[in-house]
Amino acid sequence: MFQQLVETYAPVEYRPLVRFTRLDVVLSLLLGAAGAAVSCYGSGQLSPALYEDGSGNIWFDADYSGLLAAVSDHDSPVQARTSRHPLLVILVFPVFAVLRTFGTDPVHDQRLILASCAFLAVGFLFLSLRGLGLPRPVATLFAGVFLASATGMHWFVVFETYPLAAVTMSVMLMVLTSAGPDRRWLWVIAPAATL
């Protein structure tokens, strides 16, 4: 009885169902570009007043002006609230500092970051679905559904924590579905990156 349980439930070494081809990479880049375009268009439709101080949490009760101030201005009084998204500020502030050297404003910079996140999240999601063994048309369709969903249409147009989380989760899904046992270093790095 015990031997039968062990044989039934013993861990099986995972082997990816699909090896990525150049066509998969090209489709991933095209879908990512579509995600970036949707993000740029959607974020361009919103008024910059959304990010002004005192805008009053007008979009699903979120504090976009405070978050944007925290990641783009080290003199902002919002920086004193380290309990609110501390890792986001640590990771994104250097990106804003580099972008500031080009003379752009923070609202433009956040649109660039959102578009980059949409590009990466949609592209890696497509590769994740291919890693599960889905045919290219089906994986393309599901990546498009993700982009056209309420989640994609809402959270890739306003600066919040979701876009960065979507990237890390998409990368981890790709590792889970595509990395075999011969790439153990990915199994160590990817979970640490999602934290």
Side-chain angles (χ1 to χ4, degrees):
M1 171 87 174
F2 180 73
Q3 182 63 29
Q4 185 180 10
L5 284 174
V6 169
E7 290 173 3
T8 304
Y9 295 107
V12 177
E13 197 170 271
Y14 178 74
R15 294 280 177 199
L17 298 174
V18 172
R19 289 270 183 204
F20 299 137
T21 64
R22 288 184 181 156
L23 182 58
D24 292 325
V25 173
V26 168
L27 281 172
S28 173
L29 293 173
L30 289 174
L31 286 165
V38 166
S39 175
C40 282
Y41 177 77
S43 62
Q45 299 302 307
L46 299 176
S47 170
L50 182 69
Y51 296 102
E52 292 175 2
D53 285 337
S55 62
N57 299 336
I58 58 176
W59 189 284
F60 289 90
D61 200 32
D63 185 18
Y64 300 118
S65 60
L67 187 60
L68 186 61
V71 297
S72 63
D73 182 13
H74 70 281
D75 292 328
S76 172
V78 181
Q79 284 283 355
R81 295 187 310 181
T82 57
S83 63
R84 180 160 178 136
H85 307 306
L87 288 178
L88 180 74
V89 174
I90 290 170
L91 294 172
V92 178
F93 184 81
V95 176
F96 272 92
V98 169
L99 291 173
R100 197 174 348 166
T101 62
F102 296 110
T104 57
D105 65 329
V107 173
H108 181 289
D109 296 344
Q110 62 90 20
R111 288 182 65 202
L112 180 64
I113 291 171
L114 289 172
S116 302
C117 288
F119 177 85
L120 294 170
V122 174
F124 282 124
L125 179 66
F126 170 78
L127 293 175
S128 301
L129 296 169
R130 285 290 295 143
L132 282 173
L134 291 176
R136 282 185 193 94
V138 175
T140 303
L141 178 67
F142 277 119
V145 166
F146 168 70
L147 184 60
S149 70
T151 300
M153 299 301 281
H154 171 76
W155 290 112
F156 284 123
V157 300
V158 291
F159 191 71
E160 251 298 334
T161 57
Y162 172 78
L164 295 169
V167 171
T168 59
M169 291 298 110
S170 296
V171 169
M172 190 63 218
L173 282 172
M174 189 191 73
V175 169
L176 285 172
T177 62
S178 307
D182 54 332
R183 296 189 179 152
R184 295 195 190 276
W185 59 275
L186 274 176
W187 290 96
V188 173
I189 293 173
T194 63
L195 294 175

